[in-house]
Short mmCIF file of all heavy atoms in Angstrom, two decimals:
data_model
loop_
_atom_site.label_atom_id
_atom_site.label_comp_id
_atom_site.label_asym_id
_atom_site.label_seq_id
_atom_site.Cartn_x
_atom_site.Cartn_y
_atom_site.Cartn_z
N MET A 146 24.17 -70.35 -49.46
CA MET A 146 24.01 -70.31 -50.90
C MET A 146 22.60 -70.74 -51.27
O MET A 146 21.93 -71.42 -50.52
CB MET A 146 25.00 -71.25 -51.57
CG MET A 146 26.41 -70.84 -51.48
SD MET A 146 27.14 -71.44 -52.98
CE MET A 146 28.51 -70.42 -53.10
N GLY A 147 22.17 -70.34 -52.44
CA GLY A 147 20.86 -70.73 -52.91
C GLY A 147 19.75 -69.80 -52.46
O GLY A 147 18.58 -70.09 -52.67
N ARG A 148 20.09 -68.72 -51.82
CA ARG A 148 19.08 -67.79 -51.34
C ARG A 148 18.67 -66.80 -52.42
O ARG A 148 17.63 -66.14 -52.30
CB ARG A 148 19.62 -67.03 -50.12
CG ARG A 148 18.69 -65.99 -49.59
CD ARG A 148 18.81 -65.79 -48.11
NE ARG A 148 18.39 -64.48 -47.66
CZ ARG A 148 17.18 -63.99 -47.76
NH1 ARG A 148 16.24 -64.68 -48.35
NH2 ARG A 148 16.89 -62.80 -47.29
N GLY A 149 19.38 -66.72 -53.49
CA GLY A 149 19.11 -65.73 -54.54
C GLY A 149 17.73 -65.85 -55.15
O GLY A 149 17.04 -64.86 -55.35
N ARG A 150 17.32 -67.07 -55.44
CA ARG A 150 16.02 -67.28 -56.07
C ARG A 150 14.89 -66.93 -55.11
O ARG A 150 13.90 -66.31 -55.48
CB ARG A 150 15.90 -68.72 -56.53
CG ARG A 150 14.81 -68.94 -57.53
CD ARG A 150 14.82 -70.34 -58.04
NE ARG A 150 15.83 -70.48 -59.10
CZ ARG A 150 16.00 -71.57 -59.81
NH1 ARG A 150 15.27 -72.63 -59.56
NH2 ARG A 150 16.90 -71.63 -60.75
N ALA A 151 15.02 -67.31 -53.84
CA ALA A 151 14.00 -67.00 -52.83
C ALA A 151 13.91 -65.50 -52.58
O ALA A 151 12.82 -64.94 -52.47
CB ALA A 151 14.31 -67.73 -51.53
N LYS A 152 15.07 -64.85 -52.52
CA LYS A 152 15.08 -63.40 -52.31
C LYS A 152 14.47 -62.67 -53.50
O LYS A 152 13.73 -61.69 -53.33
CB LYS A 152 16.50 -62.90 -52.07
CG LYS A 152 16.56 -61.41 -51.75
CD LYS A 152 17.90 -61.02 -51.22
CE LYS A 152 18.08 -59.58 -50.89
NZ LYS A 152 17.00 -58.69 -50.92
N ALA A 153 14.74 -63.15 -54.70
CA ALA A 153 14.16 -62.54 -55.90
C ALA A 153 12.64 -62.67 -55.89
O ALA A 153 11.93 -61.72 -56.24
CB ALA A 153 14.75 -63.18 -57.15
N LYS A 154 12.14 -63.81 -55.45
CA LYS A 154 10.69 -64.01 -55.39
C LYS A 154 10.07 -63.09 -54.33
O LYS A 154 9.04 -62.48 -54.55
CB LYS A 154 10.36 -65.46 -55.08
CG LYS A 154 8.89 -65.73 -55.10
CD LYS A 154 8.57 -67.19 -54.99
CE LYS A 154 7.08 -67.39 -55.07
NZ LYS A 154 6.71 -68.78 -55.06
N GLN A 155 10.73 -62.97 -53.17
CA GLN A 155 10.22 -62.08 -52.12
C GLN A 155 10.20 -60.63 -52.60
O GLN A 155 9.26 -59.89 -52.32
CB GLN A 155 11.09 -62.19 -50.87
CG GLN A 155 10.91 -63.50 -50.14
CD GLN A 155 11.87 -63.63 -48.97
OE1 GLN A 155 12.82 -62.88 -48.85
NE2 GLN A 155 11.62 -64.61 -48.13
N THR A 156 11.24 -60.23 -53.33
CA THR A 156 11.30 -58.88 -53.86
C THR A 156 10.18 -58.64 -54.86
O THR A 156 9.53 -57.59 -54.86
CB THR A 156 12.66 -58.63 -54.51
OG1 THR A 156 13.69 -58.87 -53.55
CG2 THR A 156 12.79 -57.21 -55.02
N LYS A 157 9.93 -59.64 -55.71
CA LYS A 157 8.86 -59.53 -56.70
C LYS A 157 7.50 -59.38 -56.02
O LYS A 157 6.70 -58.52 -56.39
CB LYS A 157 8.87 -60.76 -57.60
CG LYS A 157 7.78 -60.78 -58.64
CD LYS A 157 7.80 -62.04 -59.45
CE LYS A 157 6.64 -62.09 -60.42
NZ LYS A 157 6.58 -63.35 -61.13
N VAL A 158 7.25 -60.20 -55.01
CA VAL A 158 5.98 -60.14 -54.29
C VAL A 158 5.83 -58.80 -53.58
O VAL A 158 4.77 -58.18 -53.59
CB VAL A 158 5.86 -61.32 -53.30
CG1 VAL A 158 4.67 -61.16 -52.37
CG2 VAL A 158 5.75 -62.63 -54.05
N ALA A 159 6.92 -58.33 -52.97
CA ALA A 159 6.87 -57.05 -52.26
C ALA A 159 6.57 -55.91 -53.22
O ALA A 159 5.79 -55.00 -52.90
CB ALA A 159 8.19 -56.80 -51.54
N ARG A 160 7.16 -55.93 -54.40
CA ARG A 160 6.89 -54.89 -55.40
C ARG A 160 5.44 -54.94 -55.86
O ARG A 160 4.80 -53.90 -56.04
CB ARG A 160 7.81 -55.05 -56.59
CG ARG A 160 9.17 -54.48 -56.35
CD ARG A 160 9.93 -54.31 -57.66
NE ARG A 160 11.31 -53.96 -57.36
CZ ARG A 160 12.35 -54.73 -57.63
NH1 ARG A 160 12.19 -55.88 -58.24
NH2 ARG A 160 13.57 -54.34 -57.32
N GLU A 161 4.91 -56.13 -56.07
CA GLU A 161 3.52 -56.27 -56.49
C GLU A 161 2.58 -55.70 -55.43
O GLU A 161 1.61 -55.01 -55.75
CB GLU A 161 3.18 -57.73 -56.77
CG GLU A 161 3.78 -58.27 -58.04
CD GLU A 161 3.51 -59.76 -58.22
OE1 GLU A 161 2.82 -60.36 -57.37
OE2 GLU A 161 4.00 -60.31 -59.21
N LEU A 162 2.87 -55.99 -54.17
CA LEU A 162 2.03 -55.48 -53.09
C LEU A 162 2.14 -53.96 -52.97
O LEU A 162 1.16 -53.28 -52.69
CB LEU A 162 2.40 -56.13 -51.76
CG LEU A 162 2.05 -57.60 -51.61
CD1 LEU A 162 2.64 -58.17 -50.34
CD2 LEU A 162 0.55 -57.79 -51.65
N LYS A 163 3.32 -53.44 -53.18
CA LYS A 163 3.55 -52.01 -53.01
C LYS A 163 2.93 -51.19 -54.13
O LYS A 163 2.31 -50.15 -53.88
CB LYS A 163 5.05 -51.73 -52.94
CG LYS A 163 5.39 -50.28 -52.69
CD LYS A 163 6.88 -50.10 -52.53
CE LYS A 163 7.23 -48.65 -52.26
NZ LYS A 163 8.66 -48.45 -52.09
N TYR A 164 3.07 -51.64 -55.36
CA TYR A 164 2.69 -50.81 -56.49
C TYR A 164 1.36 -51.17 -57.14
O TYR A 164 0.86 -50.40 -57.94
CB TYR A 164 3.80 -50.84 -57.55
CG TYR A 164 5.08 -50.22 -57.05
CD1 TYR A 164 6.23 -50.99 -56.91
CD2 TYR A 164 5.14 -48.88 -56.70
CE1 TYR A 164 7.41 -50.43 -56.44
CE2 TYR A 164 6.30 -48.31 -56.24
CZ TYR A 164 7.44 -49.09 -56.11
OH TYR A 164 8.59 -48.52 -55.64
N SER A 165 0.79 -52.30 -56.82
CA SER A 165 -0.50 -52.63 -57.42
C SER A 165 -1.63 -52.06 -56.57
O SER A 165 -1.49 -51.90 -55.36
CB SER A 165 -0.66 -54.14 -57.56
OG SER A 165 -0.68 -54.74 -56.29
N SER A 166 -2.71 -51.74 -57.19
CA SER A 166 -3.85 -51.21 -56.46
C SER A 166 -4.89 -52.32 -56.32
O SER A 166 -5.34 -52.91 -57.29
CB SER A 166 -4.45 -50.00 -57.18
OG SER A 166 -4.90 -50.39 -58.45
N HIS A 167 -5.23 -52.59 -55.10
CA HIS A 167 -6.22 -53.63 -54.80
C HIS A 167 -7.51 -52.95 -54.36
O HIS A 167 -7.48 -51.91 -53.72
CB HIS A 167 -5.72 -54.54 -53.68
CG HIS A 167 -4.46 -55.25 -54.02
ND1 HIS A 167 -4.41 -56.30 -54.89
CD2 HIS A 167 -3.19 -55.06 -53.62
CE1 HIS A 167 -3.17 -56.73 -55.00
NE2 HIS A 167 -2.41 -55.98 -54.24
N ALA A 168 -8.62 -53.56 -54.71
CA ALA A 168 -9.91 -53.05 -54.27
C ALA A 168 -10.07 -53.36 -52.78
O ALA A 168 -9.93 -54.50 -52.36
CB ALA A 168 -11.04 -53.70 -55.07
N THR A 169 -10.31 -52.33 -52.00
CA THR A 169 -10.45 -52.50 -50.55
C THR A 169 -11.91 -52.36 -50.17
O THR A 169 -12.56 -51.38 -50.54
CB THR A 169 -9.61 -51.44 -49.81
OG1 THR A 169 -8.26 -51.54 -50.24
CG2 THR A 169 -9.67 -51.65 -48.32
N ASP A 170 -12.41 -53.33 -49.42
CA ASP A 170 -13.78 -53.27 -48.93
C ASP A 170 -13.75 -52.59 -47.57
O ASP A 170 -13.54 -53.21 -46.54
CB ASP A 170 -14.35 -54.68 -48.83
CG ASP A 170 -15.82 -54.69 -48.47
OD1 ASP A 170 -16.40 -53.59 -48.30
OD2 ASP A 170 -16.40 -55.78 -48.37
N PHE A 171 -13.95 -51.28 -47.58
CA PHE A 171 -13.86 -50.50 -46.35
C PHE A 171 -14.99 -50.82 -45.39
O PHE A 171 -14.83 -50.71 -44.17
CB PHE A 171 -13.82 -49.01 -46.66
CG PHE A 171 -12.53 -48.59 -47.32
CD1 PHE A 171 -12.49 -48.26 -48.65
CD2 PHE A 171 -11.36 -48.55 -46.59
CE1 PHE A 171 -11.30 -47.89 -49.26
CE2 PHE A 171 -10.15 -48.18 -47.19
CZ PHE A 171 -10.14 -47.85 -48.52
N ASP A 172 -16.15 -51.22 -45.92
CA ASP A 172 -17.26 -51.59 -45.03
C ASP A 172 -16.93 -52.85 -44.24
O ASP A 172 -17.19 -52.93 -43.04
CB ASP A 172 -18.54 -51.82 -45.85
CG ASP A 172 -19.05 -50.53 -46.47
OD1 ASP A 172 -18.83 -49.45 -45.87
OD2 ASP A 172 -19.66 -50.60 -47.55
N ALA A 173 -16.31 -53.84 -44.90
CA ALA A 173 -15.92 -55.06 -44.21
C ALA A 173 -14.83 -54.77 -43.19
O ALA A 173 -14.82 -55.33 -42.09
CB ALA A 173 -15.45 -56.11 -45.20
N LEU A 174 -13.91 -53.89 -43.54
CA LEU A 174 -12.85 -53.49 -42.61
C LEU A 174 -13.43 -52.80 -41.39
O LEU A 174 -13.05 -53.09 -40.25
CB LEU A 174 -11.86 -52.58 -43.32
CG LEU A 174 -10.70 -52.07 -42.48
CD1 LEU A 174 -9.83 -53.21 -41.99
CD2 LEU A 174 -9.87 -51.08 -43.28
N GLN A 175 -14.40 -51.93 -41.59
CA GLN A 175 -15.04 -51.24 -40.46
C GLN A 175 -15.76 -52.22 -39.56
O GLN A 175 -15.68 -52.12 -38.34
CB GLN A 175 -16.01 -50.18 -40.99
CG GLN A 175 -16.74 -49.42 -39.91
CD GLN A 175 -15.81 -48.61 -39.05
OE1 GLN A 175 -14.83 -48.07 -39.53
NE2 GLN A 175 -16.10 -48.51 -37.78
N ARG A 176 -16.47 -53.21 -40.16
CA ARG A 176 -17.16 -54.22 -39.35
C ARG A 176 -16.17 -55.03 -38.53
O ARG A 176 -16.41 -55.33 -37.37
CB ARG A 176 -17.97 -55.15 -40.25
CG ARG A 176 -19.26 -54.54 -40.74
CD ARG A 176 -20.16 -55.61 -41.36
NE ARG A 176 -19.50 -56.36 -42.41
CZ ARG A 176 -19.49 -56.03 -43.70
NH1 ARG A 176 -20.11 -54.94 -44.10
NH2 ARG A 176 -18.88 -56.77 -44.59
N GLU A 177 -15.05 -55.40 -39.16
CA GLU A 177 -14.05 -56.20 -38.47
C GLU A 177 -13.42 -55.42 -37.31
O GLU A 177 -13.23 -55.96 -36.22
CB GLU A 177 -12.97 -56.64 -39.45
CG GLU A 177 -11.92 -57.52 -38.83
CD GLU A 177 -10.89 -57.99 -39.83
OE1 GLU A 177 -11.18 -57.96 -41.05
OE2 GLU A 177 -9.80 -58.37 -39.40
N LEU A 178 -13.12 -54.17 -37.54
CA LEU A 178 -12.48 -53.36 -36.50
C LEU A 178 -13.44 -53.01 -35.37
O LEU A 178 -13.03 -52.89 -34.22
CB LEU A 178 -11.88 -52.10 -37.10
CG LEU A 178 -10.71 -52.30 -38.05
CD1 LEU A 178 -10.28 -51.00 -38.67
CD2 LEU A 178 -9.54 -52.95 -37.32
N SER A 179 -14.71 -52.85 -35.69
CA SER A 179 -15.67 -52.49 -34.66
C SER A 179 -16.18 -53.71 -33.91
O SER A 179 -16.78 -53.58 -32.85
CB SER A 179 -16.85 -51.73 -35.27
OG SER A 179 -17.59 -52.58 -36.11
N GLY A 180 -15.96 -54.90 -34.46
CA GLY A 180 -16.41 -56.13 -33.79
C GLY A 180 -17.90 -56.34 -33.93
O GLY A 180 -18.50 -57.07 -33.15
N GLY A 181 -18.51 -55.71 -34.90
CA GLY A 181 -19.94 -55.84 -35.11
C GLY A 181 -20.30 -57.14 -35.79
O GLY A 181 -19.47 -58.01 -36.03
N LYS A 182 -21.56 -57.28 -36.07
CA LYS A 182 -22.04 -58.49 -36.74
C LYS A 182 -21.84 -58.37 -38.23
O LYS A 182 -21.94 -57.30 -38.81
CB LYS A 182 -23.51 -58.72 -36.43
CG LYS A 182 -23.75 -59.03 -34.97
CD LYS A 182 -25.07 -59.71 -34.80
CE LYS A 182 -25.33 -60.01 -33.36
NZ LYS A 182 -24.81 -61.26 -32.93
N SER A 183 -21.55 -59.49 -38.87
CA SER A 183 -21.36 -59.50 -40.32
C SER A 183 -22.71 -59.63 -41.02
O SER A 183 -23.75 -59.78 -40.39
CB SER A 183 -20.45 -60.66 -40.71
OG SER A 183 -21.05 -61.89 -40.38
N ASP A 184 -22.69 -59.59 -42.34
CA ASP A 184 -23.92 -59.68 -43.12
C ASP A 184 -24.63 -61.01 -42.95
O ASP A 184 -25.84 -61.10 -43.07
CB ASP A 184 -23.62 -59.47 -44.61
CG ASP A 184 -23.24 -58.03 -44.91
OD1 ASP A 184 -23.57 -57.14 -44.09
OD2 ASP A 184 -22.60 -57.80 -45.95
N ASP A 185 -23.88 -62.08 -42.66
CA ASP A 185 -24.49 -63.38 -42.52
C ASP A 185 -25.04 -63.62 -41.12
O ASP A 185 -25.53 -64.70 -40.81
CB ASP A 185 -23.52 -64.50 -42.92
CG ASP A 185 -22.25 -64.48 -42.10
OD1 ASP A 185 -22.10 -63.61 -41.22
OD2 ASP A 185 -21.39 -65.35 -42.35
N GLY A 186 -24.97 -62.62 -40.23
CA GLY A 186 -25.57 -62.72 -38.91
C GLY A 186 -24.69 -63.32 -37.85
O GLY A 186 -25.11 -63.46 -36.72
N HIS A 187 -23.49 -63.70 -38.17
CA HIS A 187 -22.59 -64.28 -37.19
C HIS A 187 -21.79 -63.19 -36.50
O HIS A 187 -21.40 -62.22 -37.13
CB HIS A 187 -21.63 -65.28 -37.85
CG HIS A 187 -22.32 -66.51 -38.33
ND1 HIS A 187 -22.87 -66.60 -39.58
CD2 HIS A 187 -22.54 -67.69 -37.73
CE1 HIS A 187 -23.41 -67.79 -39.73
NE2 HIS A 187 -23.23 -68.48 -38.61
N ASP A 188 -21.54 -63.41 -35.23
CA ASP A 188 -20.72 -62.45 -34.49
C ASP A 188 -19.27 -62.68 -34.86
O ASP A 188 -18.77 -63.80 -34.85
CB ASP A 188 -20.93 -62.67 -32.99
CG ASP A 188 -20.28 -61.60 -32.15
OD1 ASP A 188 -19.82 -60.61 -32.74
OD2 ASP A 188 -20.24 -61.76 -30.93
N ASN A 189 -18.54 -61.62 -35.19
CA ASN A 189 -17.16 -61.74 -35.62
C ASN A 189 -16.18 -61.76 -34.46
O ASN A 189 -14.99 -61.92 -34.68
CB ASN A 189 -16.80 -60.59 -36.56
CG ASN A 189 -17.48 -60.72 -37.89
OD1 ASN A 189 -17.82 -61.82 -38.29
ND2 ASN A 189 -17.68 -59.62 -38.55
N GLY A 190 -16.64 -61.58 -33.25
CA GLY A 190 -15.73 -61.54 -32.11
C GLY A 190 -15.15 -62.90 -31.80
O GLY A 190 -15.74 -63.94 -32.10
N ASP A 191 -14.01 -62.91 -31.18
CA ASP A 191 -13.35 -64.16 -30.82
C ASP A 191 -13.59 -64.51 -29.36
O ASP A 191 -12.80 -65.18 -28.73
CB ASP A 191 -11.84 -64.06 -31.08
CG ASP A 191 -11.53 -63.95 -32.55
OD1 ASP A 191 -12.31 -64.46 -33.35
OD2 ASP A 191 -10.49 -63.38 -32.86
N ARG A 192 -14.71 -64.07 -28.82
CA ARG A 192 -15.00 -64.32 -27.41
C ARG A 192 -15.51 -65.73 -27.23
O ARG A 192 -16.27 -66.25 -28.03
CB ARG A 192 -16.04 -63.33 -26.91
CG ARG A 192 -15.46 -61.94 -26.76
CD ARG A 192 -16.55 -60.94 -26.44
NE ARG A 192 -16.66 -60.10 -27.62
CZ ARG A 192 -17.73 -59.99 -28.38
NH1 ARG A 192 -18.82 -60.63 -28.09
NH2 ARG A 192 -17.74 -59.23 -29.44
N LEU A 193 -15.12 -66.34 -26.12
CA LEU A 193 -15.61 -67.67 -25.78
C LEU A 193 -16.96 -67.54 -25.10
O LEU A 193 -17.30 -66.49 -24.54
CB LEU A 193 -14.62 -68.37 -24.84
CG LEU A 193 -13.25 -68.66 -25.43
CD1 LEU A 193 -12.34 -69.22 -24.35
CD2 LEU A 193 -13.35 -69.64 -26.57
N ASP A 194 -17.72 -68.60 -25.10
CA ASP A 194 -19.00 -68.62 -24.42
C ASP A 194 -18.75 -68.54 -22.92
O ASP A 194 -18.15 -69.42 -22.33
CB ASP A 194 -19.76 -69.89 -24.78
CG ASP A 194 -21.13 -69.92 -24.14
OD1 ASP A 194 -21.70 -68.84 -23.88
OD2 ASP A 194 -21.64 -71.02 -23.90
N ASP A 195 -19.20 -67.47 -22.29
CA ASP A 195 -18.95 -67.25 -20.87
C ASP A 195 -20.19 -67.69 -20.09
O ASP A 195 -20.99 -66.87 -19.66
CB ASP A 195 -18.62 -65.78 -20.61
CG ASP A 195 -18.21 -65.54 -19.18
OD1 ASP A 195 -17.74 -66.50 -18.54
OD2 ASP A 195 -18.36 -64.41 -18.71
N SER A 196 -20.35 -69.00 -19.92
CA SER A 196 -21.51 -69.49 -19.19
C SER A 196 -21.22 -69.48 -17.70
O SER A 196 -20.09 -69.66 -17.25
CB SER A 196 -21.87 -70.90 -19.65
OG SER A 196 -20.79 -71.77 -19.42
N SER A 197 -22.26 -69.26 -16.92
CA SER A 197 -22.08 -69.16 -15.47
C SER A 197 -21.95 -70.53 -14.81
O SER A 197 -21.51 -70.63 -13.68
CB SER A 197 -23.24 -68.39 -14.85
OG SER A 197 -24.44 -69.08 -15.12
N ASP A 198 -22.32 -71.60 -15.50
CA ASP A 198 -22.23 -72.94 -14.92
C ASP A 198 -20.98 -73.66 -15.43
O ASP A 198 -21.04 -74.76 -15.93
CB ASP A 198 -23.50 -73.73 -15.21
CG ASP A 198 -23.79 -73.82 -16.69
OD1 ASP A 198 -23.97 -72.78 -17.32
OD2 ASP A 198 -23.85 -74.91 -17.22
N ASP A 199 -19.85 -73.03 -15.25
CA ASP A 199 -18.57 -73.59 -15.66
C ASP A 199 -18.22 -74.77 -14.76
O ASP A 199 -18.40 -74.71 -13.55
CB ASP A 199 -17.49 -72.51 -15.57
CG ASP A 199 -16.18 -72.95 -16.17
OD1 ASP A 199 -16.12 -73.99 -16.83
OD2 ASP A 199 -15.19 -72.21 -15.98
N GLU A 200 -17.70 -75.85 -15.33
CA GLU A 200 -17.38 -77.03 -14.53
C GLU A 200 -16.23 -76.80 -13.56
O GLU A 200 -16.10 -77.50 -12.57
CB GLU A 200 -17.06 -78.21 -15.44
CG GLU A 200 -15.81 -78.00 -16.30
CD GLU A 200 -15.56 -79.17 -17.21
OE1 GLU A 200 -14.96 -80.15 -16.76
OE2 GLU A 200 -15.98 -79.08 -18.38
N TYR A 201 -15.39 -75.79 -13.80
CA TYR A 201 -14.28 -75.48 -12.92
C TYR A 201 -14.58 -74.31 -11.99
O TYR A 201 -13.69 -73.80 -11.33
CB TYR A 201 -13.02 -75.16 -13.75
CG TYR A 201 -12.59 -76.32 -14.60
CD1 TYR A 201 -12.77 -76.30 -15.97
CD2 TYR A 201 -11.99 -77.45 -14.03
CE1 TYR A 201 -12.38 -77.35 -16.76
CE2 TYR A 201 -11.60 -78.51 -14.81
CZ TYR A 201 -11.80 -78.46 -16.18
OH TYR A 201 -11.41 -79.52 -16.95
N ASP A 202 -15.83 -73.90 -11.92
CA ASP A 202 -16.21 -72.75 -11.13
C ASP A 202 -15.92 -72.95 -9.65
O ASP A 202 -15.49 -72.03 -8.96
CB ASP A 202 -17.68 -72.45 -11.33
CG ASP A 202 -18.08 -71.08 -10.82
OD1 ASP A 202 -17.21 -70.19 -10.91
OD2 ASP A 202 -19.20 -70.91 -10.35
N ASP A 203 -16.09 -74.16 -9.14
CA ASP A 203 -15.84 -74.44 -7.72
C ASP A 203 -14.37 -74.32 -7.38
O ASP A 203 -14.03 -73.95 -6.25
CB ASP A 203 -16.35 -75.85 -7.35
CG ASP A 203 -17.85 -75.96 -7.48
OD1 ASP A 203 -18.52 -74.92 -7.31
OD2 ASP A 203 -18.32 -77.07 -7.74
N TYR A 204 -13.50 -74.60 -8.31
CA TYR A 204 -12.05 -74.57 -8.04
C TYR A 204 -11.51 -73.15 -8.00
O TYR A 204 -10.48 -72.89 -7.42
CB TYR A 204 -11.30 -75.37 -9.09
CG TYR A 204 -11.68 -76.83 -9.09
CD1 TYR A 204 -12.37 -77.39 -10.14
CD2 TYR A 204 -11.33 -77.65 -8.02
CE1 TYR A 204 -12.73 -78.71 -10.14
CE2 TYR A 204 -11.70 -78.99 -8.00
CZ TYR A 204 -12.39 -79.50 -9.07
OH TYR A 204 -12.74 -80.82 -9.04
N ARG A 205 -12.19 -72.21 -8.63
CA ARG A 205 -11.73 -70.83 -8.66
C ARG A 205 -12.03 -70.08 -7.38
O ARG A 205 -11.44 -69.08 -7.09
CB ARG A 205 -12.36 -70.08 -9.83
CG ARG A 205 -11.75 -70.46 -11.14
CD ARG A 205 -12.26 -69.56 -12.21
NE ARG A 205 -13.32 -70.31 -12.90
CZ ARG A 205 -14.20 -69.79 -13.70
NH1 ARG A 205 -14.22 -68.51 -13.91
NH2 ARG A 205 -15.09 -70.52 -14.30
N ARG A 206 -12.97 -70.56 -6.60
CA ARG A 206 -13.39 -69.84 -5.38
C ARG A 206 -12.58 -70.23 -4.20
O ARG A 206 -11.97 -71.15 -3.99
CB ARG A 206 -14.86 -70.09 -5.11
CG ARG A 206 -15.70 -69.45 -6.18
CD ARG A 206 -17.16 -69.60 -5.88
NE ARG A 206 -17.89 -69.07 -7.01
CZ ARG A 206 -19.06 -69.47 -7.37
NH1 ARG A 206 -19.70 -70.41 -6.70
NH2 ARG A 206 -19.66 -68.94 -8.40
#
């Protein structure tokens, strides 16, 4: 019991998302999907720093 109010809110949010038109920044989407650099010069990739002098390098060999 008590799910009616939560379900009504979810339905309202879903309708707003479905029927409202939002401005889409296609250039930002393209940069994000291509993994390129953003306007502020930062790399958008989630890659870790792959340094060759890893402290665990001896254990992997």
Side-chain angles (χ1 to χ4, degrees):
M146 291 212 158
R148 177 149 155 63
R150 198 175 278 185
K152 184 167 179 8
K154 184 172 182 176
Q155 289 175 346
T156 303
K157 178 182 176 185
V158 170
R160 279 196 189 114
E161 287 176 2
L162 290 172
K163 183 176 181 179
Y164 295 116
S165 64
S166 61
H167 299 286
T169 304
D170 187 0
F171 291 107
D172 293 329
L174 180 62
Q175 179 64 36
R176 283 193 305 271
E177 182 177 340
L178 293 175
S179 67
K182 294 200 180 272
S183 63
D184 290 340
D185 58 0
H187 291 88
D188 188 10
N189 290 334
D191 293 332
R192 287 173 249 117
L193 296 174
D194 183 27
D195 186 24
S196 60
S197 61
D198 57 300
D199 188 10
E200 64 182 277
Y201 299 107
D202 194 33
D203 295 332
Y204 297 112
R205 285 188 260 164
R206 293 184 185 151

